[in-house]
Amino acid sequence: LILAEEGVGRTQIRGQAVKELRPGESTFSPAGATHWHGSAPTGSAKLYQISRGQTTWLEEVRDEDYKRPAGR
């Protein structure tokens, strides 16, 4: 579960569109889904991640994925 508190955040489940998160919004990534999250390229964000079980860190997010317009 990812919760946005300040700024504009972004997240993406591999193979799906980039989603923007604004304060008060949340999103869910199911167990086993590869995803990334962070601030939007234009500023900063305060996001909280709540997870159960073990987290496996993978490769860095590529600039072309991070900067892709939301919804794509």
Side-chain angles (χ1 to χ4, degrees):
L1 181 62
I2 301 169
L3 309 166
E5 183 174 286
E6 294 178 7
V8 179
R10 287 186 146 194
T11 185
Q12 182 181 33
I13 294 175
R14 185 170 282 163
Q16 295 184 13
V18 173
K19 181 178 183 179
E20 287 197 342
L21 296 172
R22 300 191 185 297
E25 295 180 339
S26 64
T27 190
F28 176 77
S29 296
T34 300
H35 80 281
W36 62 265
H37 63 275
S39 63
T42 56
S44 63
K46 186 183 288 185
L47 304 174
Y48 294 95
Q49 177 187 354
I50 301 167
S51 60
R52 293 181 57 182
Q54 184 174 349
T55 299
T56 302
W57 295 95
L58 302 173
E59 71 278 357
E60 280 189 42
V61 177
R62 301 175 308 167
D63 282 347
E64 60 220 44
D65 293 324
Y66 175 70
K67 294 179 179 178
R68 181 178 294 141
R72 292 186 178 183

